[in-house]
Amino acid sequence: MQEKIMAIVSKRKDRSAKAAVSSAGKVQLRSGTGDSDAEESDLSIQLPSDIEDYASDIENLESEEDEGQGDAAAAAGDDDDEYEEGPSAGEDEDIADGNLRDIDDAMLDFMQEHSARVDNGTGSSAHPSDDEASERDGDLHPSAVESDSSEDEIPSRNTVGDVPFVWYDNEEHIGYDIFGKKLRKKERRNQLDSFLARSDDLKDWRKVYDEYNDEEVQLTSEEIDMIRRIRQGRIPHAEVNPHESYVDWFTWEDKGHPLSSAPEPKRRFIPSKWEAKKVVKLVRALRKGWLKLETPKEKPRFYMLWGDDLRITENTANGLAYVPAPKTKLPGHEESYNPPFEYIPTQEEVNSYQLMYEEDRPKFLPRKFDSLRMVPAYADFIKERFERCLDLYLCPRSRKKRINIDPEILVPKLPKPKDLQPFPTVCFLEYRGHVGAICSISTEPSGQWLVSASYDGTVRLWEVQTGRCCRVWNMNGRVHHVSWNPNPQLSIIAVSVEREIVLLDTNVGDEAAQANVSSLLTVKDSLSVASEKDSLVTWTKHDLYQAIKITHQQSVASVSWHHKGDYFASVSPEGHTRAVLVHQLSKQQTQNPFRKHHGHVVSVLFHPLRPFLFVATKMHVRVYNLAKQQLSKKLMPGFHELSTMAVHPSGDNLIVGSKENKLCWFDMDLSVKPYKTLKNHEQDISAVAFHNSYPLFASCSLDGTAHVFHGMVYSDLLQNPLIVPLKILHGHQKGVLDCKFHPQQPWLFTAGGDAIVRLYCN
Amino acid sequence: MDAKEKQVQVRFSTKLPPELQVANTPFSVPSHLTRYGLSEVINALLGLEKPKPFDFIVEGDLIRTSLEKLLLAKNLSAETILNIEYTPALVPPQLQASHKGEDWFSAVNGSNSRYVFTGSYDGIARGWRANGQCSFSLEGHNEAITSVAVMPTEDESTMELLTASKDRSLRFWQITDQGLPDSLTKRAAASKVLKGHSSSVQCVSASPSGNECCSGSWDSTILLWHLSAKSSIDEEHTIIKRRKLDDYATPNTFEEVEVAPRCTLKGHTQCVSSVEWVEAETVFSASWDHSLRGWNVEAEVNNLTISCSKALHCLSVGGEGSSLLAAAGADPIIRIWDPRMPGTVAPIQQLTSHKSWISVCKWHRRSPYHLLSASHDGSVKVWDIRSKIPLQSLEGHKDKVMCADWWKGDSIVSGGADCQLQIYSNLRVN
């Protein structure tokens, strides 16, 4: 019994602590443990807290103490009014709530039994009765400040933890203390001793045995009180007042510090003029009939019970979304068991029905019966009902919204190519002579001459009009690129041969220009020595021709001239930090404008008008402002393998070709994203070109075709460029490696892998 | 007579001598007759032993279809009498001589009746006889010759020649029969070098007066040069430099006189590809800038501009009244304008038969209807502008024909990129 009570007490404390946590901010239930009382603190620990164990305890208790049941039930009956103010226990505790009270009652019953006995024996009442205690609740001494924390509780003597005590039944010790020494079992008093002690010591009934620590604990009077209160279903702590008077800490009324001390304005006391005006206005509107009061709609006295079937479409503005199923025909006179004579078909008519088609034949033949009882079952009932169901089920009755879009509308309205003349269409001239694939071509600014560079190691000069090869330079190496100086006075071509750029004199200018060119193309010794030291490039005289050779560290892929013809930029893709070098022809100097490149440089172009440099890497095109020496724009074509680019003569538009067969047009005023992307070719785009004066651009590809587009750029900033595909030029047996427009005429030169340069004319 | 067979009343007329004239009475001929049938009719009427082909002209057009279709096309009534003029048809010319040169022929001139002058890409101008023998060569240019012109001279024995070259200069050659070298190896030297162009000279034309010439160049200017043989020193416009020149081949030294241009005609924006000095004061020019211009030489003004849609490579003035402009260029169409019509914009006629760029077109020097053209497709065609179809197509060249000209009225000289110089003769044009 003692163990049970101990368990219950500690359980009760446990629960109240939990309740305190769960009902934070509400009425608090404080644990009754006083930190001063060592025994109590011992009590509060290490008892099984699982609700299941608890329930089993209760069962045992109930079976043992039948006499406690009645009281427990009574207590459970009358405790509602008080207890509902109490802790709002968690759900898990609700389950055993009723049982808990039973236990409490049972325990207190037991205790009082003893106390009564003691009282009887001693004649002195140590404790008030239940009723007295309940009356005294209100003015119970408010307890001193109590700590809820478990830190300042004295730890229990035993350290074995939560193990069954059975394990120590046959041992001489009950466990171990904190130092690891065995705690010896105390000598238990036998029944007689305990009885004697109880009768001797008035306070012995307060003692409970703590099995865990193997000691007897005396409950204080507060604890006893608490147990009693719990039993009565009240708040365990006497100091908690569930009906405290409400203090309105945050009231705002009639406080001594209003925000404004201004006197109440007059307008608060006089009627509103604005409202009066509004009322006048409304009254006038009503009188003059501008405002119509909404009269309640008069309901028709009679209405069709089932609605008007024929006028369904009026129900909604657009008509119904579904088509209602047709109603079955209601029976008429002919279906009567006793139809009038005129409905009954004669024998001739019946015979004539046989001759009709089955669909046209009447489904029902009226017949006359003497009485309703004679009418047989309708033979077609099931069949007709089935057909009706089929009709309802199979016939789609929703109105389908079909969108009729003419595919022509979706195609953007572009002008017809024949209205955009002139553009190159027909190949009239072929320039034959190379024996290897022609990788690059370039035209003289006036359009009289054309140079081509081929993988056979030669550079050839062609007369555009006749197709005659006028000069051949053998470069003794793989030629990558050739570019004619855009300055008409300087008839110089820059040829990139493996690791060198060779500046060749073409000898097509007049004497004065020619003298200038030859002076430009003589290597200045002092400079060449200086350039050897910094070892960026070396400017030396060419071995065979009257030319300058600029030797780079890495192979040079392309050369592009500035429009004034003095500066030119070279690209050596493997050059890393020296991928782009800018050379000056007049001073024979070379500089490296970039410390670092973000990617593999593919192509470089000068802006035709302003000091900008376009640097194309495989992913992006960066536009650098050479005057401010900073990045101005970064164009993102969205390609992975950018291969070529060309800039519009006005400088604000750029086309970029990629090895993903795509071509995109950038309007740099508009965005850094492409204005248009065209997937026109079947293979890698090898070159793109703009025409100098005509609104034309072209792209050529390894699939052997060149595409010509109309690309009109308007001076009006609001108008986007107009791009119209014009013509696909076939003719090359192998891929087209380069294309260039004639500088003056709307003609296109294409250089192919089949060693032929073709000229397409309008 | 077949009921279906329609008859057309025709009356033949001709400007031929009386022995080839037929009676001026109307004949009734079947309407399905074509040029060949009509020619048979005339041959039968004349009773010629050797059949002679004739061409027939109805209202200024050569008959190339049946009479029936012709009447429909011309919207003529079959009831009235149709007046048909007949002329001897142009027989296919025979290849008289062919010479394989060393380089491309770029220019040919047939103004002189004794010699054909050619210029070629090796920078040498040559004189050829009718048998295809080179009788002399003129060396001096460093680059390809682009054009050759012959100065009209009173004296038959002296020939004055002008050559334009890509070396930005023109040369003026005076060749007399006495000074003419006998053998091929001997060379004549230029008497004057015309320097002033800053780019390749593309064309040259001599004035009818015989002492001036004009040249067009890639620098888009036309320069006028004064070339008085006798009194050039006195001319105020010409600056004369004399210098000693060591000729590379011959040890003897020549005196080369440099001549500066008299004036510059500016207006073209691109290469002046062809010039022609027509009358004393009028020069026509064609250019790559898609325009034809007429210039008054005295006033040095541009008084006519006709624009075309294509770059022009060649120009010829001739035809009816020597005033029609035939020009062609970077497309296979020869266009003919009549500048006498006010506000001339559209060509009056377009001749289409070539397949590639036309390198040259030339009016016949006497006939108002005949025209020859040479093209990059390797053919030389003879046209009668009264017909839309070329009269003859000479396919002798294997490569681009770069130059062609009439010679002696009945021959055609052509040179091309296959290094061939071909002379077709016996082309009776009247």
Side-chain angles (χ1 to χ4, degrees):
Chain A
M1 260 333 290
Q2 286 280 41
E3 298 101 75
K4 299 288 175 203
I5 294 163
M6 278 310 298
I8 288 158
V9 168
S10 80
K11 198 62 98 176
R12 186 68 242 179
K13 282 157 90 177
D14 227 344
R15 189 166 167 248
S16 65
K18 271 190 198 169
V21 172
S22 66
S23 63
K26 292 195 176 180
V27 180
Q28 286 204 342
L29 246 184
R30 300 226 175 98
S31 162
T33 47
D35 39 359
S36 56
D37 196 338
E39 288 175 348
E40 281 178 16
S41 65
D42 278 348
L43 256 185
S44 68
I45 49 165
Q46 302 299 333
L47 288 175
S49 61
D50 297 283
I51 206 80
E52 285 86 358
D53 293 356
Y54 199 19
S56 67
D57 283 356
I58 293 157
E59 281 169 18
N60 295 338
L61 196 72
E62 280 172 357
S63 59
E64 279 173 21
E65 294 190 62
D66 291 331
E67 74 270 20
Q69 285 287 24
D71 275 349
D78 65 1
D79 67 349
D80 287 345
D81 49 344
E82 270 193 16
Y83 207 72
E84 60 192 11
E85 282 287 336
S88 62
E91 281 182 5
D92 51 339
E93 285 166 332
D94 287 342
I95 305 163
D97 222 13
N99 290 338
L100 273 179
R101 276 178 225 142
D102 295 352
I103 298 151
D104 295 343
D105 291 353
M107 188 182 67
L108 277 208
D109 281 346
F110 168 76
M111 285 181 171
Q112 277 176 352
E113 206 177 304
H114 283 275
S115 74
R117 236 179 285 158
V118 170
D119 287 352
N120 293 341
T122 59
S124 65
S125 170
H127 292 281
S129 69
D130 290 356
D131 298 340
E132 284 166 355
S134 65
E135 279 166 20
R136 244 176 41 198
D137 271 353
D139 52 354
L140 258 177
H141 58 278
S143 68
V145 180
E146 290 179 347
S147 168
D148 285 344
S149 81
S150 58
E151 282 173 15
D152 40 13
E153 285 175 2
I154 293 170
S156 63
R157 213 153 56 95
N158 198 349
T159 57
V160 289
D162 186 13
V163 294
F165 295 123
V166 191
W167 293 356
Y168 292 93
D169 276 355
N170 300 325
E171 302 290 333
E172 298 222 312
H173 60 281
I174 52 152
Y176 306 90
D177 67 359
I178 196 166
F179 304 106
K181 288 184 178 161
K182 285 180 178 172
L183 292 172
R184 302 196 68 80
K185 276 181 183 166
K186 283 179 189 162
E187 192 75 18
R188 290 295 303 269
R189 287 187 295 185
N190 54 23
Q191 292 273 325
L192 189 63
D193 288 342
S194 60
F195 174 74
L196 287 173
R198 221 181 295 159
S199 46
D200 290 346
D201 190 358
L202 288 176
K203 291 188 177 175
D204 191 59
W205 66 272
R206 294 189 181 197
K207 286 182 179 163
V208 286
Y209 175 64
D210 179 3
E211 198 182 10
Y212 185 68
N213 289 323
D214 190 26
E215 58 192 11
E216 288 209 312
V217 179
Q218 189 170 3
L219 299 178
T220 62
S221 57
E222 286 89 2
E223 282 166 343
I224 298 291
D225 186 37
M226 187 182 286
I227 291 167
R228 196 181 63 243
R229 291 173 69 86
I230 290 170
R231 190 196 161 213
Q232 286 171 350
R234 294 187 291 164
I235 295 167
H237 297 276
E239 65 271 19
V240 173
N241 182 8
H243 301 294
E244 264 183 295
S245 58
Y246 174 71
V247 181
D248 191 2
W249 298 106
F250 303 104
T251 186
W252 53 276
E253 274 176 336
D254 302 318
K255 289 292 171 193
H257 301 286
L259 289 174
S260 165
S261 61
E264 287 281 283
K266 193 183 170 186
R267 64 174 178 275
R268 304 252 169 97
F269 307 105
I270 55 171
S272 163
K273 269 187 185 172
W274 183 85
E275 278 177 9
K277 274 185 185 172
K278 192 86 187 162
V279 168
V280 165
K281 210 180 248 179
L282 285 170
V283 167
R284 184 185 297 149
L286 280 171
R287 278 187 187 151
K288 298 207 170 175
W290 301 333
L291 199 71
K292 291 232 168 58
L293 290 180
E294 206 173 290
T295 48
K297 221 175 193 179
E298 211 171 290
K299 276 188 180 174
R301 269 187 78 194
F302 309 105
Y303 57 93
M304 290 190 76
L305 188 60
W306 307 114
D308 194 346
D309 293 341
L310 300 174
R311 300 170 65 193
I312 328 153
T313 48
E314 285 180 9
N315 291 349
T316 56
N318 306 333
L320 287 176
Y322 68 93
V323 181
K327 298 260 167 162
T328 44
K329 194 182 155 240
L330 292 173
H333 289 298
E334 66 269 31
E335 276 91 356
S336 168
Y337 79 97
N338 190 13
F341 279 111
E342 58 264 31
Y343 288 102
I344 298 169
T346 59
Q347 190 57 44
E348 287 165 11
E349 280 175 328
V350 171
N351 292 342
S352 71
Y353 292 156
Q354 296 302 317
L355 300 173
M356 292 164 79
Y357 285 111
E358 203 171 343
E359 290 89 40
D360 303 334
R361 213 176 287 164
K363 298 277 182 304
F364 176 76
L365 288 179
R367 279 172 67 194
K368 196 180 175 78
F369 297 97
D370 291 339
S371 70
L372 195 56
R373 279 184 298 148
M374 313 295 277
V375 180
Y378 181 48
D380 289 341
F381 176 76
I382 291 183
K383 189 182 157 205
E384 274 185 11
R385 190 54 58 93
F386 175 71
E387 279 175 355
R388 166 93 180 149
C389 288
L390 262 191
D391 178 43
L392 291 174
Y393 165 59
L394 288 176
C395 182
R397 300 209 184 277
S398 61
R399 189 165 291 156
K400 220 172 199 174
K401 291 244 165 158
R402 182 174 293 160
I403 308 166
N404 283 323
I405 299 176
D406 187 9
E408 291 296 311
I409 300 169
L410 299 176
V411 179
K413 284 206 169 47
L414 291 175
K416 282 178 186 158
K418 71 170 185 190
D419 302 332
L420 300 171
Q421 297 271 17
F423 56 85
T425 50
V426 198
C427 176
F428 280 133
L429 213 52
E430 289 179 352
Y431 302 83
R432 289 171 185 267
H434 278 295
V435 291
I438 301 166
C439 53
S440 177
I441 48 175
S442 185
T443 55
E444 194 235 359
S446 74
Q448 189 186 2
W449 305 100
L450 173 78
V451 279
S452 63
S454 164
Y455 286 147
D456 61 11
T458 58
V459 174
R460 281 171 187 257
L461 175 73
W462 307 87
E463 194 187 6
V464 168
Q465 188 186 351
T466 56
R468 184 182 162 95
C469 175
C470 294
R471 251 190 112 163
V472 182
W473 290 277
N474 199 341
M475 304 310 295
N476 298 323
R478 197 177 167 89
V479 186
H480 295 292
H481 193 256
V482 65
S483 179
W484 201 297
N485 193 322
N487 187 344
Q489 297 304 314
L490 300 174
S491 55
I492 296 173
I493 51 173
V495 186
S496 69
V497 190
E498 289 175 355
R499 284 169 48 205
E500 296 160 3
I501 296 177
V502 181
L503 299 173
L504 284 171
D505 181 7
T506 54
N507 267 318
V508 296
D510 59 3
E511 281 91 358
Q514 219 48 61
N516 185 17
V517 166
S518 51
S519 75
L520 279 175
L521 293 184
T522 44
V523 179
K524 297 162 190 166
D525 291 337
S526 56
L527 288 168
S528 68
V529 171
S531 61
E532 271 168 30
K533 279 179 197 162
D534 69 12
S535 74
L536 205 58
V537 290
T538 47
W539 294 64
T540 45
K541 189 181 179 304
H542 195 267
D543 313 328
L544 297 175
Y545 306 106
Q546 165 67 23
I548 286 183
K549 183 171 78 178
I550 307 168
T551 313
H552 287 61
Q553 308 272 329
Q554 301 286 342
S555 109
V556 183
S558 69
V559 185
S560 69
W561 288 92
H562 186 253
H563 63 97
K564 283 183 182 157
D566 191 21
Y567 288 94
F568 56 101
S570 66
V571 179
S572 28
E574 287 92 37
H576 304 297
T577 58
R578 293 171 177 183
V580 178
L581 297 179
V582 177
H583 312 270
Q584 191 179 6
L585 177 62
S586 56
K587 292 186 180 168
Q588 302 193 351
Q589 280 178 347
T590 300
Q591 45 186 320
N592 184 5
F594 302 107
R595 208 172 297 129
K596 183 187 165 196
H597 291 285
H598 305 271
H600 195 79
V601 180
V602 173
S603 175
V604 167
L605 276 180
F606 283 98
H607 191 283
L609 304 171
R610 283 181 287 165
F612 285 109
L613 185 70
F614 300 91
V615 178
T617 56
K618 283 197 171 175
M619 305 275 280
H620 305 290
V621 180
R622 288 180 174 77
V623 188
Y624 293 96
N625 188 332
L626 293 176
K628 292 182 185 170
Q629 301 205 327
Q630 64 184 27
L631 179 69
S632 158
K633 265 192 191 99
K634 182 178 155 191
L635 307 177
M636 287 172 283
F639 300 152
H640 297 294
E641 275 288 288
L642 204 149
S643 60
T644 175
M645 65 173 171
V647 64
H648 190 267
S650 70
D652 286 336
N653 293 274
L654 187 80
I655 45 174
V656 169
S658 83
K659 290 188 180 171
E660 293 138 67
N661 322 343
K662 285 181 192 164
L663 171 78
C664 67
W665 175 295
F666 284 99
D667 189 337
M668 281 182 282
D669 291 335
L670 208 64
S671 160
V672 296
K673 296 271 170 62
Y675 162 63
K676 281 266 158 62
T677 302
L678 309 165
K679 189 177 189 318
N680 48 346
H681 284 288
E682 284 159 17
Q683 285 186 45
D684 303 0
I685 293 180
S686 50
V688 286
F690 266 111
H691 198 282
N692 267 351
S693 46
Y694 289 93
L696 291 174
F697 69 95
S699 68
C700 63
S701 152
L702 297 185
D703 60 8
T705 61
H707 292 221
V708 182
F709 298 88
H710 177 86
M712 183 57 131
V713 176
Y714 300 95
S715 52
D716 179 10
L717 284 174
L718 293 174
Q719 208 165 357
N720 282 331
L722 173 71
I723 298 171
V724 186
L726 292 177
K727 182 83 182 170
I728 300 174
L729 303 172
H730 297 274
H732 282 285
Q733 303 296 320
K734 290 181 185 170
V736 186
L737 299 180
D738 198 5
C739 65
K740 285 275 173 355
F741 277 102
H742 190 276
Q744 319 280 348
Q745 307 287 343
W747 300 346
L748 182 73
F749 296 99
T750 57
D754 50 2
I756 301 170
V757 178
R758 284 168 160 259
L759 171 60
Y760 291 89
C761 304
N762 59 326
Chain B
M1 193 185 283
D2 192 356
K4 280 190 178 177
E5 195 67 59
K6 279 187 192 164
Q7 297 284 324
V8 182
Q9 295 274 315
V10 294
R11 181 186 284 135
F12 293 105
S13 62
T14 185
K15 287 165 187 160
L16 290 174
E19 64 265 23
L20 288 173
Q21 282 181 1
V22 294
N24 197 16
T25 51
F27 296 92
S28 190
V29 294
S31 66
H32 70 270
L33 280 190
T34 57
R35 184 192 70 89
Y36 184 75
L38 287 171
S39 192
E40 277 185 331
V41 169
I42 296 291
N43 273 307
L45 287 171
L46 291 173
L48 295 172
E49 300 108 38
K50 203 179 161 194
K52 197 174 164 75
F54 290 98
D55 252 331
F56 300 89
I57 301 154
V58 175
E59 296 190 347
D61 279 330
L62 289 175
I63 295 178
R64 286 288 177 269
T65 56
S66 66
L67 284 175
E68 200 173 17
K69 285 182 184 168
L70 180 91
L71 291 175
L72 280 172
K74 296 214 156 244
N75 205 10
L76 293 174
S77 165
E79 307 295 321
T80 55
I81 298 168
L82 191 65
N83 286 311
I84 300 179
E85 188 188 341
Y86 63 94
T87 57
L90 214 60
V91 292
Q94 293 134 16
L95 182 64
Q96 188 189 346
S98 174
H99 177 79
K100 181 100 166 81
E102 280 158 18
D103 212 337
W104 294 15
F105 286 98
S106 55
V108 67
N109 193 302
S111 305
N112 192 294
S113 55
R114 290 188 294 159
Y115 293 100
V116 173
F117 300 109
T118 64
S120 77
Y121 267 84
D122 53 8
I124 302 172
R126 292 185 177 85
W128 305 80
R129 288 210 180 82
N131 56 5
Q133 288 294 314
C134 178
S135 66
F136 60 92
S137 59
L138 308 169
E139 291 184 17
H141 284 297
N142 301 327
E143 300 253 355
I145 290 174
T146 51
S147 181
V148 176
V150 176
M151 276 279 192
T153 47
E154 310 91 39
D155 190 2
E156 272 290 309
S157 59
T158 58
M159 291 172 286
E160 290 178 347
L161 207 63
L162 279 158
T163 54
S165 163
K166 287 191 195 298
D167 63 4
R168 302 176 291 278
S169 69
L170 297 107
R171 279 170 190 259
F172 177 67
W173 317 79
Q174 275 178 317
I175 304 151
T176 51
D177 274 347
Q178 289 79 32
L180 198 67
D182 313 327
S183 67
L184 279 174
T185 50
K186 284 200 95 179
R187 298 171 172 108
S191 61
K192 281 175 189 173
V193 182
L194 285 62
K195 286 194 176 176
H197 281 296
S198 64
S199 192
S200 304
V201 187
Q202 197 66 15
C203 50
V204 64
S205 179
S207 77
S209 61
N211 51 10
E212 279 184 308
C213 74
C214 62
S215 64
S217 156
W218 267 94
D219 59 12
S220 64
T221 59
I222 300 166
L223 295 187
L224 301 183
W225 312 82
H226 200 95
L227 296 168
S228 181
K230 292 107 193 170
S231 59
S232 59
I233 302 160
D234 309 331
E235 288 291 330
E236 54 177 317
H237 293 297
T238 55
I239 306 149
I240 289 167
K241 276 192 267 175
R242 287 166 189 277
R243 58 174 172 153
K244 294 262 180 178
L245 192 112
D246 267 337
D247 201 63
Y248 28 83
T250 47
N252 27 344
T253 55
F254 291 96
E255 273 190 354
E256 274 196 357
V257 183
E258 278 193 17
V259 182
R262 182 171 72 98
C263 74
T264 309
L265 302 178
K266 280 182 183 166
H268 283 297
T269 56
Q270 288 180 50
C271 161
V272 181
S273 53
S274 184
V275 286
E276 190 148 334
W277 198 312
V278 187
E279 292 155 30
E281 288 181 355
T282 313
V283 168
F284 285 104
S285 65
S287 162
W288 281 45
D289 65 3
H290 304 185
S291 72
L292 279 172
R293 283 166 197 259
W295 308 82
N296 188 316
V297 175
E298 290 305 309
E300 298 174 17
V301 288
N302 173 19
N303 51 15
L304 174 76
T305 304
I306 298 168
S307 58
C308 170
S309 60
K310 304 288 160 73
L312 296 170
H313 292 162
C314 56
L315 165 76
S316 180
V317 186
E320 184 191 351
S322 291
S323 57
L324 295 184
L325 300 177
D331 70 334
I333 302 169
I334 305 166
R335 294 179 177 82
I336 298 168
W337 286 270
D338 190 350
R340 295 169 298 184
M341 283 154 71
T344 297
V345 179
I348 55 165
Q349 200 165 1
Q350 300 196 353
L351 304 175
T352 318
S353 174
H354 281 295
K355 293 181 187 68
S356 186
W357 282 9
I358 292 161
S359 48
V360 71
C361 62
K362 276 269 162 66
W363 285 102
H364 193 269
R365 289 192 177 77
R366 292 194 309 275
S367 163
Y369 306 116
H370 289 90
L371 187 72
L372 78 78
S373 68
S375 161
H376 282 185
D377 62 8
S379 65
V380 178
K381 292 185 193 252
V382 182
W383 302 83
D384 188 318
I385 61 160
R386 295 170 292 190
S387 160
K388 289 192 170 64
I389 306 165
L391 295 180
Q392 299 296 337
S393 183
L394 315 172
E395 310 277 354
H397 287 281
K398 293 178 190 70
D399 204 345
K400 297 185 269 278
V401 185
M402 309 299 298
C403 53
D405 200 3
W406 298 97
W407 188 38
K408 297 194 290 192
D410 66 341
S411 299
I412 289 174
V413 195
S414 66
D418 56 354
C419 310
Q420 292 271 355
L421 180 73
Q422 294 185 340
I423 303 171
Y424 288 90
S425 63
N426 202 13
L427 198 70
R428 305 215 169 272
V429 178
N430 39 6

